[in-house]
Amino acid sequence: MKVWTKLLAVLAILAMVSAVNAADKKAAKAEKKAVLRGQVVKVDGTKVVINSGKKNNQKEVTVETDDKTVVTIEGKQGKLADLQPGQRVVVKPDTGTATSIEVPTPKAKKDAKQGAAQ
């Protein structure tokens, strides 16, 4: 009887731990999706206008910023005024006031990789 009680307790603990793990993964996945991607159209004071969406369904979105918004340009800290039209950006979160605006480092083109290999 004591063995069954201990086994049941261990199984209950494992079930709880796996449920918490699953909830953490869902939260991390939702947080990853909560970004706005697009290209800078213009910077207007404390607002950034970007084109967002698929090529055939783009829309202009105005992103509000404040003094706490962190701007990162290709891995280096920048300012809102440093953003240039045409730059690809990732804005977090996708709604409300932006907490971060990142210009990722551009990926190397396939032609450049092939040329370097030869």
Side-chain angles (χ1 to χ4, degrees), residues 7-112:
L7 182 60
L8 188 58
V10 168
L11 289 175
I13 291 171
L14 286 175
M16 286 185 245
V17 169
S18 64
V20 169
N21 251 351
D24 286 345
K25 286 181 183 179
K26 284 182 182 178
K29 195 172 190 179
E31 184 177 307
K32 186 175 182 180
K33 287 184 178 182
V35 298
L36 182 64
R37 298 176 189 274
Q39 284 187 313
V40 174
V41 174
K42 67 180 178 178
V43 177
D44 186 16
T46 60
K47 298 177 184 177
V48 180
V49 179
I50 66 169
N51 266 337
S52 180
K54 305 272 183 190
K55 288 182 181 179
N56 58 353
N57 192 20
Q58 287 194 344
K59 60 181 179 178
E60 281 194 0
V61 178
T62 302
V63 178
E64 298 283 337
T65 65
D66 59 18
D67 57 341
K68 295 176 186 170
T69 303
V70 177
V71 178
T72 308
I73 301 174
E74 296 179 2
K76 298 176 183 168
Q77 190 166 356
K79 296 180 278 190
L80 203 58
D82 296 334
L83 296 174
Q84 300 296 317
Q87 283 181 315
R88 295 197 179 280
V89 292
V90 178
V91 180
K92 294 179 188 174
D94 61 344
T95 59
T97 303
T99 57
S100 72
I101 300 175
E102 180 185 355
V103 177
T105 305
K107 294 180 181 177
K109 301 228 185 240
K110 290 182 180 181
D111 293 339

